[in-house]
DNA sequence: GACCAAGTTCACAGATCTGTGAGATCGGAG
DNA sequence: CTCCGATCTCACAGATCTGTGAACTTGGTC
């Protein structure tokens, strides 16, 4: 369930001083709403009642802060999503899906990771956080599918399909500012999960 | 086939002076590769062998240039894609899909419109270009589906599904820097087009 | 009381950003 | 010849950007 190795990477920096926490909190909000390049460190420092000096003492650079921002963002969302998936009365896949719509901010700018990827150069230190995040989601989807059906199946292929629908929906949410495409995607997934039933269906899907 | 009203919007500014053309050409390259905020007007002007004065005389502001950049980007891609779709020996849907992989730059930063949406505020003058572009793609998909099967069908729903897969694949390409997720999506679409055949059983599909 | 990490103060460096003002140049069209 | 659109020159305004240097304060801990 836990992405074993990668999560160490994705955790926010070890111990976070009170000031650093405030900075990160504010940065997280401003970066998400305004974009990475559009928000300056002066604004972040001022808004979090902290001097720029402290910001640089804690995070080293703006790029370091950006990295921490995405780590925090992942951590927060991942925990909430896990809770939903584990407590889901119905399909855990749909619970995961719904986490995207239920845990969204009112100021909806779509997926923070997609947006960040669009702004950051290829060699930016936060790129691996972005990739690890997406990877974790895809892996979890695969795992959930494997668990909910026969062990030998096209779980990976189906996981990729659902993943793509999800990413498409999120990217479109960032463009439209609303959910309607994401909702469309949910219907597809419902349909998909019906068409490929647990294993109760007609005979065992040993398949070719 | 043509998005009637919107295309007037999406066309690049009426007559483009030689200087303006060079500016737009350079800006298109730099914006796509470097991002919108990360590239300054000084760089664009210098790189296109033109003074900043000319840039502002032609495009009014950086935001105006950004808008023109996306318009050009749409125009270019749209024409190439249309050609592929019309000349496709097999499924026009797959031809559309392949346009995303075949007409990609070597420096692959994913979808210019998704990236732009992630960087621009809600009220930016280029936002409607982004939305119109995505809208045009979705509409074309719907139209192609309607044409290739019985007139009364779930063409809209299927179009949305393919659209989401496409957007997911493109957004992922911007993150991974490669095509493999987009290719995965293509397989899904192939499968999808088989499962929902023209209106007869197996056979009447010319197929790719 | 000494030590230490966290944070403050504040000035400053040096670059880069978007955008403008006013006048000169140059080629083509009437 | 004259007018005009396109472009160039070039200085400059004013803001904003990331990042740093050096010394001071404060609260807790051994």
């Amino acid at each position: 369930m836990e992405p074993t190795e990668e999560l160490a990477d994705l955790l926010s920096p070890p111990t976070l001083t009170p000031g650093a926490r405030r900075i990160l909190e504010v940065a997280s909000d401003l970066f998400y709403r305004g974009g990475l390049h559009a928000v300056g460190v002066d604004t972040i420092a001022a808004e979090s009642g902290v001097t720029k000096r402290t910001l640089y003492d804690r995070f080293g650079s703006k790029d370091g802060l950006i990295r921490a921002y995405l780590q925090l963002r992942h951590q927060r969302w991942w925990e909430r999503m896990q809770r939903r998936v584990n407590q889901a009365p119905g399909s855990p896949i749909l619970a995961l899906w719904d986490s995207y719509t239920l845990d969204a901010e009112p100021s909806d700018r779509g997926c923070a990771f997609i947006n960040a990827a669009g702004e950051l150069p290829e060699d930016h230190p936060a790129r691996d956080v972005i990739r690890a995040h997406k990877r974790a989601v895809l892996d979890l989807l695969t795992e959930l599918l494997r668990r909910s059906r026969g062990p030998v199946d096209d779980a990976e292929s189906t996981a990729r399909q659902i993943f793509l629908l999800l990413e498409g929906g999120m990217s479109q949410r960032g463009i439209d500012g609303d959910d309607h495409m994401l909702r469309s995607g949910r219907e597809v997934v419902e349909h998909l999960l019906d068409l490929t039933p647990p294993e109760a269906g007609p005979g065992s899907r040993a398949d070719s």
Side-chain angles (χ1 to χ4, degrees), chain A:
Chain A
M1 183 62 92
E2 305 285 327
T4 46
E5 295 301 322
E6 320 167 72
L7 202 114
D9 243 8
L10 292 171
L11 265 165
S12 49
T15 43
L16 225 43
T17 65
R21 241 190 304 275
R22 286 211 311 282
I23 294 170
L24 197 47
E25 213 64 50
V26 168
S28 188
D29 182 46
L30 293 182
F31 278 153
Y32 180 64
R33 283 175 21 213
L36 269 26
H37 280 105
V39 174
V41 290
D42 289 280
T43 311
I44 295 172
E47 204 96 353
S48 46
V50 151
T51 57
K52 220 175 9 165
R53 205 72 188 80
T54 307
L55 191 155
Y56 277 94
D57 283 347
R58 296 300 128 229
F59 297 97
S61 67
K62 184 182 182 180
D63 288 333
L65 181 57
I66 287 175
R67 190 181 154 91
Y69 150 63
L70 290 173
Q71 288 171 324
L72 176 70
R73 187 99 192 166
H74 169 81
Q75 196 194 37
R76 289 257 169 95
W77 175 79
W78 186 262
E79 280 168 8
R80 263 186 300 215
M81 181 270 290
Q82 285 267 48
R83 220 173 301 140
R84 284 189 195 281
V85 167
N86 291 331
Q87 299 172 356
S91 158
I93 302 278
L94 286 180
L96 191 159
W97 187 283
D98 289 338
S99 177
Y100 279 84
T101 60
L102 296 174
D103 299 330
E105 271 103 317
S107 69
D108 201 337
R109 305 267 316 163
C111 174
F113 299 88
I114 293 178
N115 294 347
E119 252 188 294
L120 299 180
E122 196 55 51
D123 59 348
H124 192 280
R127 276 250 158 200
D128 59 343
V129 178
I130 297 173
R131 277 193 262 261
H133 164 77
K134 292 303 181 193
R135 180 71 201 229
V137 174
L138 179 57
D139 284 353
L140 179 59
L141 274 173
T142 311
E143 171 68 18
L144 290 178
L145 279 168
R146 273 214 193 88
R147 205 178 302 170
S148 72
R149 355 154 132 205
V152 180
D153 213 333
D154 57 343
E156 279 174 26
S157 152
T158 307
R160 277 200 297 271
Q161 174 170 5
I162 295 175
F163 179 74
L164 287 178
L165 290 167
L166 207 44
E167 293 302 300
M170 284 304 286
S171 122
Q172 201 57 25
R173 175 152 88 177
I175 289 174
D176 293 335
D178 71 58
D179 261 5
H180 82 276
M181 268 297 166
L182 198 58
R183 283 184 216 280
S184 259
R186 192 188 198 273
E187 290 170 23
V188 174
V189 174
E190 291 168 27
H191 197 238
L192 196 71
L193 295 176
D194 281 349
L195 281 185
T196 56
E199 57 203 293
S204 62
R205 269 179 77 83
D207 205 44
S208 57

